[in-house]
Amino acid sequence: MKRNENQLDYILLVTLFCLFIYSLFAVYSGSGQYETHDPYYFVKRQIIWYIIGVAIMVGVALFDFELLERWAAPLYSVGIGLLILVHFFGTFKNGATRWISLGFFELQPSEFMKVFLILYLAVVLKRVANRALSFKDSIPITIKVLLFTIVPFYLILVQPDLGSALVIAAITFSLILASGISYKIVFILVSCFVALIRLLVHLHNNSYDIFSKIIKPHQLERIYGWLSPDEYASSYGYQLKQAILGIGSGQMYGSGFNQGSQVQSGRIPEAHTDFIFSVIGEEFGFIGATILISLYFILLYRITIIAFSSNNVFGYFICTGVIGLLSFQVFQNISMTIGLMPVTGIALPLLSYGGSALITNMIALGLVFSVNKRSKKYMFSKSEIL
């Protein structure tokens, strides 16, 4: 056997570089509606965030991920502590309390909690790996996983930040699917989720007083805007309506870089952040959007290959958690932009403007590179064939 010490996944690196280029074009075009003294203001800041993110990614990749196994529990505890600090000392902005002000920088603990949860659940599930658990044996480990998920999920949800809370749930669900936990448990979890949705619908129609205590007004407004964008085109459904119009106007080849009428006129709010996919759809058309989605597919495919090539169970679960982290964000962001899912404020990973989410995703990818770098290779092994 040998260690993969000097080998990098160049396909993954090239994919990241292509997403970086996509990001610069889309951020520049999407931010054109903002009047600034420097038309390249947001692009320059995005480049800076990418430089910082890549530096952190390289640092994490050079670090032996196996050493993080002993640090997983302390990191999880730090993440919970920071979320509690946000509740008491957080900065209130845009209707939510999600940040801790450090003077020159605002820290968003919910972003780092995503990585900390991946590491800790990877440790928990490692103990039951490589064996198919019976339904009875699956119950205690499932309860343990859910308990460690519910705490950060609730603390993030009450900020309120439904988008990040859903990402936390997606990470956990992906790790459960990849573990040896009985599929009967998975079926029960899915059934409970469906039952919860049906209960909320029932409360909305029959006991609105109770429903209003569970679902916040702004969250309900987003649901109304999602279900009836035409009816609420002047209020709740404005963002979605304009995004759909923009993407539709792009047709096959798009209107051209920086030529989108919906984007440049400012009729698509947050075009360089949450609704950046509408910029791609309008200015680069179906072809440009398809290439972007293909890049995300390649990204997730390469991480999957690295996961199955790893002979370390801890590394396998890390990669699985990163797949859950990225895939849900891509699915939710694109789906909300085209009207398939409600608007939740989830950014498009590695593309949307912003620092916190980008750095979190870079840390996650750094862990993937670390797993790949330190995977032991065996002659004639199945992982070699993959």
Side-chain angles (χ1 to χ4, degrees):
M1 70 178 181
K2 62 179 181 179
R3 278 190 178 270
N4 204 20
E5 289 289 353
N6 298 315
Q7 187 171 337
L8 289 174
D9 194 316
Y10 291 104
I11 296 178
L12 190 56
L13 284 175
V14 171
T15 304
L16 283 175
F17 179 76
C18 292
L19 289 172
F20 167 66
I21 299 301
Y22 249 104
S23 177
L24 294 187
F25 279 107
V27 167
Y28 176 79
S29 186
S31 61
Q33 58 186 272
Y34 297 94
E35 295 183 2
T36 60
H37 65 281
D38 183 1
Y40 299 99
Y41 173 79
F42 290 99
V43 173
K44 289 178 180 177
R45 290 179 65 86
Q46 185 74 343
I47 292 174
I48 292 173
W49 282 121
Y50 248 100
I51 292 173
I52 294 173
V54 169
I56 293 174
M57 182 185 73
V58 171
V60 173
L62 293 175
F63 189 81
D64 190 346
F65 75 94
E66 295 180 54
L67 299 178
L68 291 173
E69 189 170 347
R70 68 183 70 175
W71 288 97
L75 288 173
Y76 175 87
S77 300
V78 168
I80 296 297
L82 289 174
L83 290 176
I84 294 174
L85 283 177
V86 169
H87 181 72
F88 291 102
F89 306 104
T91 301
F92 183 81
K93 185 171 63 174
N94 298 330
T97 306
R98 304 173 185 173
W99 302 268
I100 296 177
S101 178
L102 302 177
F104 62 94
F105 178 72
E106 288 186 339
L107 181 70
Q108 189 173 356
S110 60
E111 290 294 334
F112 297 100
M113 189 68 229
K114 298 169 186 175
V115 177
F116 297 161
L117 182 67
I118 290 173
L119 292 174
Y120 190 60
L121 292 186
V123 173
V124 173
L125 291 172
K126 178 184 176 182
R127 299 165 187 168
V128 296
N130 298 324
R131 60 191 180 100
L133 298 177
S134 64
F135 177 78
K136 182 179 179 180
D137 292 336
S138 297
I139 294 176
I141 188 66
T142 303
I143 292 175
K144 187 174 182 180
V145 168
L146 292 179
L147 286 176
F148 285 120
T149 301
I150 288 173
V151 176
F153 179 88
Y154 173 77
L155 291 173
I156 293 172
L157 186 64
V158 298
Q159 291 181 352
D161 187 357
L162 178 61
S164 293
L166 290 176
V167 174
I168 291 291
I171 290 170
T172 300
F173 187 70
S174 64
L175 286 169
I176 289 176
L177 280 178
S179 67
I181 291 176
S182 171
Y183 280 99
K184 293 180 180 179
I185 293 290
V186 177
F187 176 77
I188 291 174
L189 292 176
V190 174
S191 299
C192 288
F193 176 75
V194 174
L196 176 61
I197 298 299
R198 295 188 63 181
L199 175 62
L200 290 174
V201 173
H202 175 78
L203 291 175
H204 177 270
N205 296 332
N206 300 281
S207 303
Y208 190 79
D209 292 340
I210 299 176
F211 177 83
S212 61
K213 296 178 181 178
I214 301 174
I215 304 297
K216 302 298 181 182
H218 75 280
Q219 295 171 339
L220 185 59
E221 290 171 0
R222 288 183 173 183
I223 294 176
Y224 287 153
W226 168 54
L227 295 175
S228 303
D230 292 323
E231 182 179 350
Y232 296 96
S234 62
S235 55
Y236 316 141
Y238 179 78
Q239 285 180 307
L240 177 58
K241 181 71 174 179
Q242 298 304 316
I244 292 176
L245 287 173
I247 294 173
S249 66
Q251 300 186 47
M252 181 63 71
Y253 301 104
S255 58
F257 172 62
N258 213 30
Q259 299 298 316
S261 59
Q262 293 292 114
V263 173
Q264 299 307 317
S265 64
R267 287 195 287 268
I268 302 179
E270 308 298 331
H272 65 309
T273 55
D274 296 347
F275 282 84
I276 199 167
F277 185 75
S278 60
V279 179
I280 303 298
E282 181 175 14
E283 300 192 349
F284 300 98
F286 178 79
I287 299 297
T290 300
I291 293 174
L292 176 63
I293 294 173
S294 299
L295 288 173
Y296 281 121
F297 174 79
I298 295 171
L299 180 77
L300 295 172
Y301 173 73
R302 294 309 304 175
I303 298 175
T304 303
I305 293 299
I306 292 172
F308 282 109
S309 299
S310 175
N311 305 110
N312 185 294
V313 177
F314 182 54
Y316 165 77
F317 280 123
I318 287 177
C319 292
T320 302
V322 174
I323 291 171
L325 168 69
L326 295 175
S327 61
F328 181 79
Q329 291 180 89
V330 172
F331 171 78
Q332 172 60 31
N333 181 276
I334 295 178
S335 296
M336 78 177 190
T337 306
I338 61 178
L340 294 180
M341 295 289 285
V343 177
T344 57
I346 293 179
L348 191 57
L350 305 170
L351 210 76
S352 294
Y353 171 79
S356 297
L358 179 61
I359 289 177
T360 298
N361 292 326
M362 286 299 189
I363 292 173
L365 290 172
L367 290 172
V368 171
F369 279 112
S370 180
V371 172
N372 182 55
K373 182 179 176 64
R374 292 166 179 82
S375 293
K376 299 181 179 68
K377 300 297 182 181
Y378 296 88
M379 188 176 295
F380 308 118
S381 67
K382 292 183 179 180
S383 59
E384 277 287 313
I385 297 175
L386 287 175

